[in-house]
Amino acid sequence: GSTLQDAAAESGRYFGTAIAASRMSDSQYTTIANREFDMITAENEMKMDATEPSQNQFSFSSGDQIADWALQNGKRVRGHALAWHSQQPGWMQNMEGSSLRNAMLNHIAGVAGHYQGKIYAWDVVNEAFEDGSSGARRNSNLQRTGNDWIEAAFYAAREADPDAKLCYNDYNTDNWQHAKTQAVYNMVRDFKSRGVPIDCVGFQAHFNSGNPVPNNYHETLQNFADLGVDVQITELDIAGSGTSQAEQFRGVTQACMAVTRCTGITVWGVRDTDSWRASDTPLLFDGYGNKKLAYGYVLDQL
Ligand code: XIL
């Protein structure tokens, strides 16, 4: 294949990007996105603050703009994200206890219900674990509603959209040796053993010089897949430039391609200038829309 999506499709995989509704009037942006990518994630527009700005008053216009564009162009959509400690609407941020638990479940029903039948996979819960060596859950208002909040979110998502794959998504879970990786692995293993409806694990894959692509990435992805879930690279970006950046993109692509149940890769934006960390130039196209060295390294592996 001569595009990322065509090359990925040769092995039954997808190649995706995050899209921002605010950039969709830029024709260079939509031209590249339409040509190269066949899986679309809304960068912010399906998050809790965007979709439920006032309690029980849902707002889907920006999320729909992205989903409709994707579906009209024959692409699939990853839903991101139903329950997260970050980017909560103001009304939710200071809630606690059963009222917060019920608000979360109502949110999941409302959002996953609205998009029912249109979503390939939902990031049901995002970033629920602590960084560092503790392996603990992140202390968030959602966590304080009870340790079962994650499985409650998955059951609610399954009920609202029975056909969507349901993912747990996190960062710094790439290196098999890290405590956070082990903690998420143990949760997924427990969920699978108890029949909690989880189908996939998303690896955000935000890399930089302090947090490089690990040599054991393939091992990590394979170990999760062996639990009976799909794995996906969900938000890939790698700070840097030139050969060193390109080689790291190659390493991530090789790791996914080596794991049968690694179903696809999504990069977190189109051009470097579209990135949430634009100064890191972490994407596959430069600010002029030109393919970077990393683009060719990725394409070669697909
Ligand atoms: C980021 C977006 O890219 C930014 O535009 C926004 O200001 C903050 O969130 N982990 C995630 C994504 O799961 O939702 C985040 O996206 C990046 C880190």
Side-chain angles (χ1 to χ4, degrees):
S2 60
T3 65
L4 297 168
Q5 61 170 324
D6 287 351
E10 288 166 16
S11 67
R13 292 178 173 82
Y14 65 81
F15 210 101
T17 190
I19 290 288
S22 61
R23 296 184 192 274
M24 292 180 74
S25 56
D26 175 341
S27 66
Q28 182 184 72
Y29 178 83
T30 51
T31 298
I32 298 171
N34 198 18
R35 184 185 72 216
E36 298 289 341
F37 303 105
D38 60 356
M39 184 70 76
I40 300 299
T41 307
E43 186 174 357
N44 290 294
E45 293 78 352
M46 295 187 192
K47 292 175 180 176
M48 298 181 103
D49 56 353
T51 51
E52 197 178 354
S54 305
Q55 188 167 14
N56 212 28
Q57 307 225 314
F58 291 90
S59 170
F60 296 114
S61 50
S62 297
D64 285 354
Q65 191 187 343
I66 293 173
D68 291 349
W69 179 85
L71 296 172
Q72 282 161 12
N73 286 293
K75 306 178 187 307
R76 293 183 289 174
V77 179
R78 286 193 89 265
H80 175 79
L82 294 172
W84 191 18
H85 70 277
S86 184
Q87 290 182 274
Q88 291 183 359
W91 61 265
M92 184 181 279
Q93 287 176 24
N94 296 316
M95 285 182 83
E96 59 183 16
S98 60
S99 55
L100 174 59
R101 175 69 69 96
N102 289 333
M104 175 191 81
L105 297 174
N106 185 62
H107 178 82
I108 293 171
V111 177
H114 174 78
Y115 288 106
Q116 188 256 313
K118 296 183 172 177
I119 301 293
Y120 162 73
W122 267 110
D123 292 330
V124 178
V125 170
N126 199 27
E127 302 183 350
F129 282 80
E130 205 68 83
D131 292 315
S133 58
S134 73
R137 293 283 185 85
R138 181 191 295 270
N139 178 11
S140 70
N141 60 348
L142 292 166
Q143 177 63 29
R144 291 189 295 272
T145 71
N147 204 51
D148 63 342
W149 74 276
I150 299 180
E151 61 198 81
F154 276 85
Y155 281 110
R158 181 68 98 220
E159 191 177 336
D161 189 354
D163 295 329
K165 290 183 186 291
L166 305 182
C167 302
Y168 176 78
N169 192 54
D170 214 328
Y171 66 92
N172 282 354
T173 49
D174 313 286
N175 191 322
W176 181 243
Q177 305 297 337
H178 284 178
K180 188 172 174 180
T181 310
Q182 296 293 319
V184 174
Y185 177 85
N186 288 333
M187 178 190 73
V188 175
R189 185 173 57 186
D190 171 55
F191 280 9
K192 293 300 286 184
S193 75
R194 291 190 293 112
V196 176
I198 184 169
D199 305 303
C200 39
V201 175
F203 296 79
Q204 292 185 11
H206 298 295
F207 295 111
N208 55 52
S209 54
N211 175 39
V213 178
N215 291 325
N216 60 21
Y217 210 4
H218 169 203
E219 180 186 2
T220 303
L221 298 177
Q222 188 64 60
N223 285 339
F224 275 89
D226 287 345
L227 293 175
V229 290
D230 290 343
V231 295
Q232 299 162 359
I233 308 296
T234 54
E235 305 181 13
L236 177 60
D237 54 15
I238 306 177
S241 63
T243 311
S244 110
Q245 181 184 49
E247 286 173 346
Q248 292 194 74
F249 268 102
R250 177 167 63 197
V252 175
T253 309
Q254 283 174 334
C256 179
M257 294 297 287
V259 175
T260 305
R261 292 196 74 160
C262 185
T263 58
I265 298 173
T266 294
V267 288
W268 204 239
V270 178
R271 302 162 301 197
D272 284 338
T273 43
D274 303 316
S275 170
W276 68 312
R277 41 193 197 118
S279 62
D280 286 345
T281 62
L283 294 171
L284 298 177
F285 293 86
D286 70 18
Y288 302 101
N290 299 312
K291 295 169 183 172
K292 294 166 60 182
L293 189 64
Y295 176 98
Y297 276 46
V298 170
L299 190 66
D300 273 353
Q301 297 306 317
L302 294 172

mmCIF file of all heavy atoms in Angstrom, residues 224-272:
data_model
loop_
_atom_site.group_PDB
_atom_site.id
_atom_site.type_symbol
_atom_site.label_atom_id
_atom_site.label_comp_id
_atom_site.label_asym_id
_atom_site.label_seq_id
_atom_site.Cartn_x
_atom_site.Cartn_y
_atom_site.Cartn_z
ATOM 1 N N PHE A 224 -0.275 -8.932 27.201
ATOM 2 C CA PHE A 224 -1.673 -8.487 27.335
ATOM 3 C C PHE A 224 -2.574 -9.266 26.377
ATOM 4 O O PHE A 224 -3.644 -9.735 26.763
ATOM 5 C CB PHE A 224 -1.781 -6.978 27.087
ATOM 6 C CG PHE A 224 -1.512 -6.142 28.302
ATOM 7 C CD1 PHE A 224 -0.228 -5.731 28.605
ATOM 8 C CD2 PHE A 224 -2.544 -5.764 29.145
ATOM 9 C CE1 PHE A 224 0.029 -4.951 29.741
ATOM 10 C CE2 PHE A 224 -2.304 -4.994 30.277
ATOM 11 C CZ PHE A 224 -1.008 -4.588 30.575
ATOM 12 N N ALA A 225 -2.143 -9.405 25.138
ATOM 13 C CA ALA A 225 -2.964 -10.122 24.160
ATOM 14 C C ALA A 225 -3.239 -11.544 24.629
ATOM 15 O O ALA A 225 -4.342 -12.073 24.424
ATOM 16 C CB ALA A 225 -2.267 -10.125 22.797
ATOM 17 N N ASP A 226 -2.263 -12.146 25.298
ATOM 18 C CA ASP A 226 -2.423 -13.517 25.768
ATOM 19 C C ASP A 226 -3.483 -13.640 26.865
ATOM 20 O O ASP A 226 -3.922 -14.757 27.179
ATOM 21 C CB ASP A 226 -1.078 -14.071 26.259
ATOM 22 C CG ASP A 226 -0.126 -14.375 25.113
ATOM 23 O OD1 ASP A 226 -0.581 -14.430 23.948
ATOM 24 O OD2 ASP A 226 1.084 -14.549 25.370
ATOM 25 N N LEU A 227 -3.910 -12.528 27.426
ATOM 26 C CA LEU A 227 -5.024 -12.552 28.376
ATOM 27 C C LEU A 227 -6.370 -12.692 27.661
ATOM 28 O O LEU A 227 -7.404 -12.864 28.301
ATOM 29 C CB LEU A 227 -5.033 -11.273 29.225
ATOM 30 C CG LEU A 227 -3.864 -11.078 30.197
ATOM 31 C CD1 LEU A 227 -3.960 -9.702 30.860
ATOM 32 C CD2 LEU A 227 -3.851 -12.188 31.252
ATOM 33 N N GLY A 228 -6.356 -12.550 26.336
ATOM 34 C CA GLY A 228 -7.602 -12.670 25.583
ATOM 35 C C GLY A 228 -8.241 -11.337 25.252
ATOM 36 O O GLY A 228 -9.468 -11.239 25.110
ATOM 37 N N VAL A 229 -7.426 -10.304 25.127
ATOM 38 C CA VAL A 229 -7.913 -8.982 24.698
ATOM 39 C C VAL A 229 -7.148 -8.540 23.454
ATOM 40 O O VAL A 229 -6.020 -8.972 23.229
ATOM 41 C CB VAL A 229 -7.725 -7.917 25.810
ATOM 42 C CG1 VAL A 229 -8.682 -8.165 26.966
ATOM 43 C CG2 VAL A 229 -6.276 -7.866 26.293
ATOM 44 N N ASP A 230 -7.779 -7.677 22.666
ATOM 45 C CA ASP A 230 -7.044 -6.979 21.624
ATOM 46 C C ASP A 230 -6.175 -5.911 22.273
ATOM 47 O O ASP A 230 -6.498 -5.403 23.360
ATOM 48 C CB ASP A 230 -7.996 -6.295 20.635
ATOM 49 C CG ASP A 230 -8.742 -7.290 19.762
ATOM 50 O OD1 ASP A 230 -8.322 -8.459 19.667
ATOM 51 O OD2 ASP A 230 -9.760 -6.883 19.167
ATOM 52 N N VAL A 231 -5.101 -5.560 21.608
ATOM 53 C CA VAL A 231 -4.297 -4.421 22.050
ATOM 54 C C VAL A 231 -4.197 -3.433 20.892
ATOM 55 O O VAL A 231 -4.257 -3.816 19.716
ATOM 56 C CB VAL A 231 -2.900 -4.846 22.555
ATOM 57 C CG1 VAL A 231 -3.030 -5.694 23.812
ATOM 58 C CG2 VAL A 231 -2.120 -5.601 21.488
ATOM 59 N N GLN A 232 -4.101 -2.165 21.246
ATOM 60 C CA GLN A 232 -4.048 -1.105 20.239
ATOM 61 C C GLN A 232 -3.102 -0.009 20.721
ATOM 62 O O GLN A 232 -3.061 0.270 21.921
ATOM 63 C CB GLN A 232 -5.459 -0.503 20.040
ATOM 64 C CG GLN A 232 -6.470 -1.520 19.561
ATOM 65 C CD GLN A 232 -7.919 -1.091 19.772
ATOM 66 O OE1 GLN A 232 -8.194 -0.028 20.308
ATOM 67 N NE2 GLN A 232 -8.837 -1.944 19.347
ATOM 68 N N ILE A 233 -2.379 0.571 19.792
ATOM 69 C CA ILE A 233 -1.595 1.765 20.086
ATOM 70 C C ILE A 233 -2.534 2.939 19.807
ATOM 71 O O ILE A 233 -2.961 3.142 18.669
ATOM 72 C CB ILE A 233 -0.346 1.848 19.194
ATOM 73 C CG1 ILE A 233 0.476 0.546 19.254
ATOM 74 C CG2 ILE A 233 0.487 3.072 19.545
ATOM 75 C CD1 ILE A 233 1.055 0.216 20.607
ATOM 76 N N THR A 234 -2.877 3.716 20.842
ATOM 77 C CA THR A 234 -4.027 4.610 20.712
ATOM 78 C C THR A 234 -3.711 6.093 20.554
ATOM 79 O O THR A 234 -4.564 6.845 20.085
ATOM 80 C CB THR A 234 -4.961 4.457 21.920
ATOM 81 O OG1 THR A 234 -4.191 4.657 23.116
ATOM 82 C CG2 THR A 234 -5.608 3.091 21.940
ATOM 83 N N GLU A 235 -2.526 6.539 20.962
ATOM 84 C CA GLU A 235 -2.246 7.992 20.928
ATOM 85 C C GLU A 235 -0.785 8.244 20.592
ATOM 86 O O GLU A 235 -0.146 9.134 21.171
ATOM 87 C CB GLU A 235 -2.590 8.633 22.284
ATOM 88 C CG GLU A 235 -4.006 8.377 22.738
ATOM 89 C CD GLU A 235 -4.357 9.045 24.071
ATOM 90 O OE1 GLU A 235 -3.591 9.907 24.539
ATOM 91 O OE2 GLU A 235 -5.418 8.694 24.623
ATOM 92 N N LEU A 236 -0.244 7.516 19.655
ATOM 93 C CA LEU A 236 1.201 7.521 19.429
ATOM 94 C C LEU A 236 1.720 8.892 19.011
ATOM 95 O O LEU A 236 1.231 9.509 18.059
ATOM 96 C CB LEU A 236 1.528 6.485 18.345
ATOM 97 C CG LEU A 236 2.986 6.371 17.911
ATOM 98 C CD1 LEU A 236 3.902 5.982 19.065
ATOM 99 C CD2 LEU A 236 3.104 5.360 16.769
ATOM 100 N N ASP A 237 2.720 9.344 19.746
ATOM 101 C CA ASP A 237 3.565 10.459 19.301
ATOM 102 C C ASP A 237 4.920 10.320 19.975
ATOM 103 O O ASP A 237 5.025 9.781 21.076
ATOM 104 C CB ASP A 237 2.924 11.842 19.502
ATOM 105 C CG ASP A 237 2.445 12.133 20.909
ATOM 106 O OD1 ASP A 237 2.829 11.414 21.855
ATOM 107 O OD2 ASP A 237 1.677 13.097 21.071
ATOM 108 N N ILE A 238 5.975 10.721 19.279
ATOM 109 C CA ILE A 238 7.343 10.508 19.748
ATOM 110 C C ILE A 238 8.136 11.786 19.500
ATOM 111 O O ILE A 238 8.365 12.179 18.352
ATOM 112 C CB ILE A 238 8.017 9.329 19.008
ATOM 113 C CG1 ILE A 238 7.164 8.054 19.104
ATOM 114 C CG2 ILE A 238 9.424 9.098 19.563
ATOM 115 C CD1 ILE A 238 7.715 6.858 18.331
ATOM 116 N N ALA A 239 8.569 12.424 20.585
ATOM 117 C CA ALA A 239 9.346 13.656 20.463
ATOM 118 C C ALA A 239 10.641 13.390 19.710
ATOM 119 O O ALA A 239 11.237 12.327 19.845
ATOM 120 C CB ALA A 239 9.651 14.204 21.855
ATOM 121 N N GLY A 240 11.076 14.385 18.940
ATOM 122 C CA GLY A 240 12.368 14.255 18.279
ATOM 123 C C GLY A 240 12.289 14.563 16.806
ATOM 124 O O GLY A 240 11.349 15.207 16.334
ATOM 125 N N SER A 241 13.298 14.088 16.085
ATOM 126 C CA SER A 241 13.364 14.353 14.647
ATOM 127 C C SER A 241 14.329 13.358 14.018
ATOM 128 O O SER A 241 15.040 12.631 14.720
ATOM 129 C CB SER A 241 13.853 15.787 14.394
ATOM 130 O OG SER A 241 15.164 15.925 14.904
ATOM 131 N N GLY A 242 14.323 13.335 12.716
ATOM 132 C CA GLY A 242 15.328 12.579 11.980
ATOM 133 C C GLY A 242 15.324 11.090 12.284
ATOM 134 O O GLY A 242 14.288 10.499 12.582
ATOM 135 N N THR A 243 16.526 10.500 12.172
ATOM 136 C CA THR A 243 16.648 9.053 12.257
ATOM 137 C C THR A 243 16.241 8.516 13.621
ATOM 138 O O THR A 243 15.597 7.474 13.718
ATOM 139 C CB THR A 243 18.105 8.631 11.961
ATOM 140 O OG1 THR A 243 18.530 9.279 10.769
ATOM 141 C CG2 THR A 243 18.212 7.130 11.772
ATOM 142 N N SER A 244 16.607 9.229 14.683
ATOM 143 C CA SER A 244 16.307 8.668 16.005
ATOM 144 C C SER A 244 14.798 8.596 16.224
ATOM 145 O O SER A 244 14.267 7.604 16.731
ATOM 146 C CB SER A 244 17.042 9.469 17.084
ATOM 147 O OG SER A 244 16.167 10.224 17.852
ATOM 148 N N GLN A 245 14.100 9.633 15.799
ATOM 149 C CA GLN A 245 12.638 9.592 15.901
ATOM 150 C C GLN A 245 12.066 8.500 14.993
ATOM 151 O O GLN A 245 11.184 7.727 15.391
ATOM 152 C CB GLN A 245 12.064 10.956 15.508
ATOM 153 C CG GLN A 245 10.548 11.023 15.594
ATOM 154 C CD GLN A 245 10.020 12.356 15.108
ATOM 155 O OE1 GLN A 245 10.386 12.829 14.029
ATOM 156 N NE2 GLN A 245 9.169 12.974 15.912
ATOM 157 N N ALA A 246 12.566 8.435 13.790
ATOM 158 C CA ALA A 246 12.040 7.472 12.817
ATOM 159 C C ALA A 246 12.249 6.037 13.303
ATOM 160 O O ALA A 246 11.372 5.180 13.162
ATOM 161 C CB ALA A 246 12.720 7.682 11.463
ATOM 162 N N GLU A 247 13.418 5.773 13.900
ATOM 163 C CA GLU A 247 13.685 4.415 14.395
ATOM 164 C C GLU A 247 12.750 4.043 15.530
ATOM 165 O O GLU A 247 12.333 2.883 15.655
ATOM 166 C CB GLU A 247 15.159 4.292 14.823
ATOM 167 C CG GLU A 247 16.090 4.224 13.623
ATOM 168 C CD GLU A 247 17.567 4.264 13.998
ATOM 169 O OE1 GLU A 247 17.886 4.610 15.166
ATOM 170 O OE2 GLU A 247 18.390 3.964 13.110
ATOM 171 N N GLN A 248 12.402 5.019 16.348
ATOM 172 C CA GLN A 248 11.460 4.707 17.438
ATOM 173 C C GLN A 248 10.060 4.437 16.888
ATOM 174 O O GLN A 248 9.355 3.533 17.353
ATOM 175 C CB GLN A 248 11.442 5.841 18.459
ATOM 176 C CG GLN A 248 12.749 5.944 19.231
ATOM 177 C CD GLN A 248 12.598 6.817 20.455
ATOM 178 O OE1 GLN A 248 11.990 6.414 21.444
ATOM 179 N NE2 GLN A 248 13.120 8.022 20.359
ATOM 180 N N PHE A 249 9.644 5.226 15.898
ATOM 181 C CA PHE A 249 8.358 4.921 15.251
ATOM 182 C C PHE A 249 8.390 3.522 14.629
ATOM 183 O O PHE A 249 7.412 2.780 14.682
ATOM 184 C CB PHE A 249 8.034 5.967 14.175
ATOM 185 C CG PHE A 249 7.209 7.133 14.671
ATOM 186 C CD1 PHE A 249 7.797 8.359 14.938
ATOM 187 C CD2 PHE A 249 5.829 7.008 14.849
ATOM 188 C CE1 PHE A 249 7.034 9.437 15.384
ATOM 189 C CE2 PHE A 249 5.061 8.075 15.290
ATOM 190 C CZ PHE A 249 5.669 9.294 15.557
ATOM 191 N N ARG A 250 9.527 3.165 14.056
ATOM 192 C CA ARG A 250 9.657 1.833 13.476
ATOM 193 C C ARG A 250 9.511 0.758 14.553
ATOM 194 O O ARG A 250 8.827 -0.246 14.348
ATOM 195 C CB ARG A 250 11.014 1.681 12.769
ATOM 196 C CG ARG A 250 11.235 0.280 12.198
ATOM 197 C CD ARG A 250 12.415 0.233 11.258
ATOM 198 N NE ARG A 250 13.675 0.560 11.921
ATOM 199 C CZ ARG A 250 14.786 0.902 11.291
ATOM 200 N NH1 ARG A 250 14.818 0.961 9.972
ATOM 201 N NH2 ARG A 250 15.880 1.191 11.972
ATOM 202 N N GLY A 251 10.135 1.002 15.700
ATOM 203 C CA GLY A 251 10.063 0.023 16.783
ATOM 204 C C GLY A 251 8.636 -0.210 17.261
ATOM 205 O O GLY A 251 8.227 -1.347 17.504
ATOM 206 N N VAL A 252 7.858 0.861 17.382
ATOM 207 C CA VAL A 252 6.462 0.712 17.811
ATOM 208 C C VAL A 252 5.679 -0.060 16.758
ATOM 209 O O VAL A 252 4.895 -0.971 17.079
ATOM 210 C CB VAL A 252 5.823 2.091 18.063
ATOM 211 C CG1 VAL A 252 4.340 1.939 18.379
ATOM 212 C CG2 VAL A 252 6.537 2.823 19.189
ATOM 213 N N THR A 253 5.891 0.280 15.501
ATOM 214 C CA THR A 253 5.154 -0.382 14.423
ATOM 215 C C THR A 253 5.506 -1.859 14.370
ATOM 216 O O THR A 253 4.623 -2.724 14.254
ATOM 217 C CB THR A 253 5.465 0.302 13.082
ATOM 218 O OG1 THR A 253 5.277 1.709 13.227
ATOM 219 C CG2 THR A 253 4.555 -0.232 11.975
ATOM 220 N N GLN A 254 6.792 -2.172 14.492
ATOM 221 C CA GLN A 254 7.215 -3.585 14.493
ATOM 222 C C GLN A 254 6.593 -4.342 15.653
ATOM 223 O O GLN A 254 6.167 -5.484 15.496
ATOM 224 C CB GLN A 254 8.748 -3.674 14.598
ATOM 225 C CG GLN A 254 9.480 -3.366 13.312
ATOM 226 C CD GLN A 254 10.991 -3.337 13.520
ATOM 227 O OE1 GLN A 254 11.489 -3.071 14.610
ATOM 228 N NE2 GLN A 254 11.730 -3.593 12.436
ATOM 229 N N ALA A 255 6.540 -3.703 16.814
ATOM 230 C CA ALA A 255 5.982 -4.393 17.993
ATOM 231 C C ALA A 255 4.519 -4.736 17.754
ATOM 232 O O ALA A 255 4.065 -5.842 18.074
ATOM 233 C CB ALA A 255 6.142 -3.518 19.236
ATOM 234 N N CYS A 256 3.770 -3.800 17.192
ATOM 235 C CA CYS A 256 2.355 -4.076 16.917
ATOM 236 C C CYS A 256 2.211 -5.154 15.851
ATOM 237 O O CYS A 256 1.418 -6.090 16.004
ATOM 238 C CB CYS A 256 1.637 -2.793 16.501
ATOM 239 S SG CYS A 256 -0.120 -3.028 16.110
ATOM 240 N N MET A 257 2.990 -5.044 14.786
ATOM 241 C CA MET A 257 2.862 -6.004 13.679
ATOM 242 C C MET A 257 3.217 -7.420 14.109
ATOM 243 O O MET A 257 2.755 -8.400 13.514
ATOM 244 C CB MET A 257 3.754 -5.581 12.512
ATOM 245 C CG MET A 257 3.346 -4.281 11.850
ATOM 246 S SD MET A 257 1.723 -4.338 11.081
ATOM 247 C CE MET A 257 2.077 -5.342 9.640
ATOM 248 N N ALA A 258 4.039 -7.536 15.155
ATOM 249 C CA ALA A 258 4.471 -8.861 15.616
ATOM 250 C C ALA A 258 3.427 -9.542 16.503
ATOM 251 O O ALA A 258 3.600 -10.698 16.874
ATOM 252 C CB ALA A 258 5.794 -8.733 16.376
ATOM 253 N N VAL A 259 2.378 -8.816 16.860
ATOM 254 C CA VAL A 259 1.365 -9.355 17.774
ATOM 255 C C VAL A 259 0.046 -9.456 17.012
ATOM 256 O O VAL A 259 -0.515 -8.455 16.580
ATOM 257 C CB VAL A 259 1.219 -8.443 19.014
ATOM 258 C CG1 VAL A 259 0.082 -8.916 19.907
ATOM 259 C CG2 VAL A 259 2.543 -8.400 19.780
ATOM 260 N N THR A 260 -0.418 -10.685 16.826
ATOM 261 C CA THR A 260 -1.616 -10.909 16.012
ATOM 262 C C THR A 260 -2.784 -10.055 16.498
ATOM 263 O O THR A 260 -3.529 -9.499 15.689
ATOM 264 C CB THR A 260 -2.011 -12.398 16.046
ATOM 265 O OG1 THR A 260 -0.877 -13.155 15.630
ATOM 266 C CG2 THR A 260 -3.184 -12.680 15.128
ATOM 267 N N ARG A 261 -2.941 -9.966 17.811
ATOM 268 C CA ARG A 261 -4.082 -9.217 18.347
ATOM 269 C C ARG A 261 -3.792 -7.734 18.523
ATOM 270 O O ARG A 261 -4.602 -7.024 19.139
ATOM 271 C CB ARG A 261 -4.554 -9.826 19.664
ATOM 272 C CG ARG A 261 -5.186 -11.208 19.461
ATOM 273 C CD ARG A 261 -5.993 -11.638 20.650
ATOM 274 N NE ARG A 261 -7.260 -10.910 20.728
ATOM 275 C CZ ARG A 261 -8.314 -11.335 21.431
ATOM 276 N NH1 ARG A 261 -8.234 -12.457 22.124
ATOM 277 N NH2 ARG A 261 -9.427 -10.622 21.456
ATOM 278 N N CYS A 262 -2.704 -7.225 17.994
ATOM 279 C CA CYS A 262 -2.538 -5.766 17.925
ATOM 280 C C CYS A 262 -3.255 -5.304 16.674
ATOM 281 O O CYS A 262 -2.774 -5.492 15.549
ATOM 282 C CB CYS A 262 -1.065 -5.351 17.901
ATOM 283 S SG CYS A 262 -0.875 -3.543 17.954
ATOM 284 N N THR A 263 -4.440 -4.716 16.842
ATOM 285 C CA THR A 263 -5.354 -4.514 15.711
ATOM 286 C C THR A 263 -5.136 -3.189 14.992
ATOM 287 O O THR A 263 -5.683 -3.007 13.896
ATOM 288 C CB THR A 263 -6.821 -4.619 16.166
ATOM 289 O OG1 THR A 263 -7.066 -3.646 17.190
ATOM 290 C CG2 THR A 263 -7.116 -6.008 16.706
ATOM 291 N N GLY A 264 -4.369 -2.277 15.564
ATOM 292 C CA GLY A 264 -4.129 -1.031 14.852
ATOM 293 C C GLY A 264 -3.337 -0.032 15.666
ATOM 294 O O GLY A 264 -3.116 -0.199 16.869
ATOM 295 N N ILE A 265 -2.911 1.000 14.960
ATOM 296 C CA ILE A 265 -2.100 2.085 15.524
ATOM 297 C C ILE A 265 -2.793 3.406 15.205
ATOM 298 O O ILE A 265 -3.210 3.625 14.065
ATOM 299 C CB ILE A 265 -0.686 2.084 14.908
ATOM 300 C CG1 ILE A 265 0.049 0.770 15.221
ATOM 301 C CG2 ILE A 265 0.112 3.303 15.376
ATOM 302 C CD1 ILE A 265 1.396 0.629 14.506
ATOM 303 N N THR A 266 -2.891 4.269 16.208
ATOM 304 C CA THR A 266 -3.401 5.633 15.999
ATOM 305 C C THR A 266 -2.327 6.620 16.427
ATOM 306 O O THR A 266 -1.788 6.502 17.540
ATOM 307 C CB THR A 266 -4.681 5.877 16.821
ATOM 308 O OG1 THR A 266 -5.728 5.031 16.327
ATOM 309 C CG2 THR A 266 -5.129 7.325 16.744
ATOM 310 N N VAL A 267 -1.999 7.576 15.567
ATOM 311 C CA VAL A 267 -1.107 8.670 15.952
ATOM 312 C C VAL A 267 -1.953 9.844 16.449
ATOM 313 O O VAL A 267 -3.080 10.057 15.982
ATOM 314 C CB VAL A 267 -0.177 9.108 14.800
ATOM 315 C CG1 VAL A 267 0.892 8.057 14.544
ATOM 316 C CG2 VAL A 267 -0.942 9.410 13.521
ATOM 317 N N TRP A 268 -1.387 10.601 17.422
ATOM 318 C CA TRP A 268 -2.199 11.609 18.117
ATOM 319 C C TRP A 268 -2.137 12.967 17.397
ATOM 320 O O TRP A 268 -1.674 13.963 17.949
ATOM 321 C CB TRP A 268 -1.773 11.706 19.581
ATOM 322 C CG TRP A 268 -2.857 12.249 20.470
ATOM 323 C CD1 TRP A 268 -2.779 13.371 21.253
ATOM 324 C CD2 TRP A 268 -4.173 11.698 20.686
ATOM 325 N NE1 TRP A 268 -3.975 13.549 21.925
ATOM 326 C CE2 TRP A 268 -4.842 12.537 21.598
ATOM 327 C CE3 TRP A 268 -4.847 10.581 20.180
ATOM 328 C CZ2 TRP A 268 -6.155 12.305 22.020
ATOM 329 C CZ3 TRP A 268 -6.152 10.353 20.600
ATOM 330 C CH2 TRP A 268 -6.783 11.204 21.498
ATOM 331 N N GLY A 269 -2.593 12.958 16.150
ATOM 332 C CA GLY A 269 -2.637 14.187 15.367
ATOM 333 C C GLY A 269 -2.081 13.952 13.973
ATOM 334 O O GLY A 269 -1.507 12.901 13.684
ATOM 335 N N VAL A 270 -2.263 14.936 13.109
ATOM 336 C CA VAL A 270 -1.865 14.800 11.704
ATOM 337 C C VAL A 270 -0.470 15.410 11.513
ATOM 338 O O VAL A 270 0.502 14.679 11.311
ATOM 339 C CB VAL A 270 -2.920 15.451 10.782
ATOM 340 C CG1 VAL A 270 -2.482 15.352 9.318
ATOM 341 C CG2 VAL A 270 -4.292 14.780 10.983
ATOM 342 N N ARG A 271 -0.357 16.731 11.562
ATOM 343 C CA ARG A 271 0.930 17.407 11.365
ATOM 344 C C ARG A 271 1.523 17.797 12.723
ATOM 345 O O ARG A 271 0.797 17.975 13.699
ATOM 346 C CB ARG A 271 0.733 18.670 10.515
ATOM 347 C CG ARG A 271 0.103 18.406 9.155
ATOM 348 C CD ARG A 271 -0.469 19.685 8.553
ATOM 349 N NE ARG A 271 -1.491 20.277 9.429
ATOM 350 C CZ ARG A 271 -2.373 21.187 9.047
ATOM 351 N NH1 ARG A 271 -2.363 21.649 7.793
ATOM 352 N NH2 ARG A 271 -3.251 21.659 9.907
ATOM 353 N N ASP A 272 2.846 17.989 12.745
ATOM 354 C CA ASP A 272 3.497 18.423 13.995
ATOM 355 C C ASP A 272 2.794 19.630 14.600
ATOM 356 O O ASP A 272 2.640 19.728 15.824
ATOM 357 C CB ASP A 272 4.966 18.764 13.730
ATOM 358 C CG ASP A 272 5.846 17.526 13.555
ATOM 359 O OD1 ASP A 272 5.466 16.441 14.036
ATOM 360 O OD2 ASP A 272 6.916 17.675 12.931
#
